[in-house]
DNA sequence: GCTTCCTTTCCCGTTCATCGGGAATGTGCG
DNA sequence: CGCACATTCCCGATGAACGGGAAAGGAAGC
């Protein structure tokens, strides 16, 4: 049971349809969706039609189909993560105003770091992270923080599992990662030089709840040669400010 | 055909389930969902179970159910509106840094203004708008801009339809609204004093595409006594900057 | 402890909506 | 004009969704 790969209920099929959309492929024909989701053409058209009627998908001026704003509304309006995001935003803006690179907010989601928000300076170099994107916990500064100040069982399962590298400098040795996590706990922040991409450094601090557990990670992405002192101070301040804002809301 | 109110297909039922979640009710039991969506108890439990399996809903530590992050991911990752949002964010931050109130981004969505983003100063007074919230076009500055610089057919249909007021100062007379739209076109911005709530003023400018049509509205919410010159200048600048960013992306 | 109320799970026969093959129509391109 | 593709329409078979009902699990109160 709990078979995750297969599944053929109505809803799992629906998810398969939605998953055919990616950041690089935001619009496609109903037939394309069908092919990618492994559905017969007539079935694909029927399902897409239903989803369009329901407002979860939209038809372009062309005949192409895209994810509907309605879906975003439904998902966003009532998401608990949105509260966290709104609580953190003012603090993130401040960080971004002083450290004009990339400022990010991530939470733990099913064993990965899920990025809820990202403020980027137009001048800053591109990097891989995107809003609603994910990264493995061991391979980014946000993940390290979420791991180090999170559930011990999760730490062990990550340490046990395969540690896939994103770049040459991503730690893949469990012993190295364990030491790194200890260091993160000691310092109170995570510095990941070249973990995600060789050219950039991630710096992250935890946003904690009353029990001291990390509920989120605030991070910045910097070029290797940037000083980290200012960024770290700003992140610390932002984390405290977010924690206060969260305490108010709850 | 195209009956929007009823509908009993699998997907419409799914939407009904999702719609039982609201900003104020982010978690509920499966039975509650069933009652609100008009489903028999056993059916509600089955559907909720399927949705949880698919990751679109999540179970709390308790037995309560909330909207899953997976849904947000699917909706956000591939939304075309997200590009607009990311293109506008840096400009919005700048506005927010100078005009420390509320800075908002809205698009036209099915005859209403849908707010994609909102930056709020912690010190600023609360107001009604929320991320993923909607307002009628005639009843907010963003809506006026989207209308005035948008489709002429839409203007007429709004002018023809009932103009529900949100406050005592919301324009409900078509003739008044028509003059107001002319004024917005002439000035290039919309000033809505007390339209949404009596105590606050909305100020909005259009973000336009190459054809001059509004693709979005950038707005600020101010107390009545605030001067609008600075805010307007910042909004104009932000709109231009967003337009440039959008041109790059396309 | 017992009772009450509510949620949740499980079972199961009925039925009706889903499924998808196939043909016809529409659209765009060279 | 012909080709390749997407889309719409039709329709009969089938099996999965449906939901009533019973029973189990839990929380609160007396």
């Amino acid at each position: 049971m709990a078979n995750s790969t297969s599944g053929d209920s109505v809803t799992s099929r629906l998810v398969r349809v939605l998953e055919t959309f990616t950041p690089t492929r935001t619009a496609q024909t109903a037939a394309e969706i069908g092919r990618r989701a492994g559905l017969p053409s007539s079935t694909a058209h029927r399902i897409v039609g239903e989803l369009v009627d329901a407002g979860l998908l939209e038809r372009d001026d062309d005949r192409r189909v895209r994810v509907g704003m309605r879906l975003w509304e439904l998902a966003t309006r009532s998401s608990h993560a949105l509260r966290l995001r709104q609580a953190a935003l003012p603090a993130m803006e401040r960080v971004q105003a002083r450290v004009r690179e990339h400022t990010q907010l991530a939470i733990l989601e099913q064993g990965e770091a899920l990025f809820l928000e990202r403020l980027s300076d137009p001048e800053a170099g591109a990097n891989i992270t995107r809003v609603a994107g994910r990264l493995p916990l061991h391979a980014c500064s946000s993940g390290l923080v979420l791991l180090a100040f999170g559930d011990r069982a999760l730490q062990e399962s990550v340490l046990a599992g395969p540690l896939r590298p994103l770049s040459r400098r991503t730690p893949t040795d469990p012993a190295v990662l364990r030491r790194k996590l200890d260091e993160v706990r000691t310092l109170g922040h995570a510095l990941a030089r070249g973990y995600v991409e060789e050219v950039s450094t991630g710096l992250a601090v935890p946003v904690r709840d009353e029990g001291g557990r990390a509920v989120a990670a605030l991070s910045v992405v910097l070029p290797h040669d940037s000083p980290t002192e200012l960024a770290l101070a700003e992140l610390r301040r932002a984390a405290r400010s977010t924690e206060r804002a969260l305490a108010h809301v709850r």
Side-chain angles (χ1 to χ4, degrees), chain A:
Chain A
M1 48 211 70
N3 189 343
S4 52
T5 49
S6 81
D8 236 43
S9 81
V10 187
T11 53
S12 78
R13 204 188 282 231
L14 196 154
V15 171
R16 280 222 304 287
V17 167
L18 290 177
E19 277 173 345
T20 62
F21 291 90
T22 66
T24 53
R25 192 193 317 126
T26 61
Q28 40 186 348
T29 65
E32 280 175 312
I33 295 174
R35 248 174 281 129
R36 281 188 241 269
L39 298 172
S41 171
S42 60
T43 304
H45 278 86
R46 181 169 38 79
I47 293 182
V48 167
E50 284 171 12
L51 289 173
V52 169
D53 285 347
L56 302 188
L57 296 181
E58 287 171 359
R59 282 198 208 282
D60 221 337
D61 3 293
D62 209 1
R63 319 241 80 240
R64 298 162 76 83
V65 178
R66 39 172 62 170
V67 173
M69 288 311 296
R70 182 80 175 275
L71 188 64
W72 179 80
E73 271 184 81
L74 290 171
T76 303
R77 260 198 330 207
S78 31
S79 167
H80 63 287
L82 185 70
R83 301 216 175 151
L84 171 62
R85 199 195 79 109
Q86 290 296 50
L89 252 184
M92 290 179 69
E93 284 163 42
R94 197 193 137 109
V95 174
Q96 180 62 13
R98 320 256 158 151
V99 186
R100 311 181 134 278
E101 297 285 344
H102 304 279
T103 307
Q104 305 172 332
L105 175 69
I107 60 170
L108 181 65
E109 167 69 12
Q110 295 187 336
E112 291 187 299
L114 174 64
F115 288 85
L116 292 185
E117 187 53 278
R118 169 183 169 87
L119 307 180
S120 295
D121 193 89
E123 309 289 307
N127 89 324
I128 225 174
T129 324
R130 268 178 284 97
V131 173
R134 290 170 177 252
L135 284 180
L137 291 176
H138 70 281
C140 62
S141 60
S142 303
L144 292 178
V145 160
L146 292 170
L147 207 46
F149 296 98
D151 199 49
R152 192 152 282 275
L154 180 64
Q155 288 167 37
E156 294 308 323
S157 94
V158 168
L159 284 164
L163 300 174
R164 295 233 176 70
L166 293 185
S167 87
R168 274 197 301 121
R169 305 181 69 169
T170 313
T172 55
D173 179 353
V176 172
L177 180 57
R178 193 182 292 274
R179 275 201 304 280
K180 185 74 186 175
L181 289 177
D182 286 338
E183 180 200 304
V184 170
R185 260 185 298 268
T186 308
L187 296 176
H189 69 262
L191 188 68
R193 286 196 183 277
Y195 283 24
V196 179
E197 293 170 300
E198 296 204 23
V199 295
S200 61
T201 292
L203 179 64
V205 302
V207 177
R208 296 159 132 171
D209 61 15
E210 305 77 18
R213 297 262 300 254
V215 296
L218 279 166
S219 60
V220 294
V221 179
L222 307 165
H224 280 330
D225 52 6
S226 304
T228 59
E229 296 80 35
L230 169 68
L232 184 55
E234 286 296 335
L235 281 178
R236 285 246 160 80
R237 181 194 182 107
R240 283 202 308 274
S241 151
T242 303
E243 284 158 5
R244 273 197 303 276
L246 276 178
H248 270 249
V249 174
R250 281 181 194 155

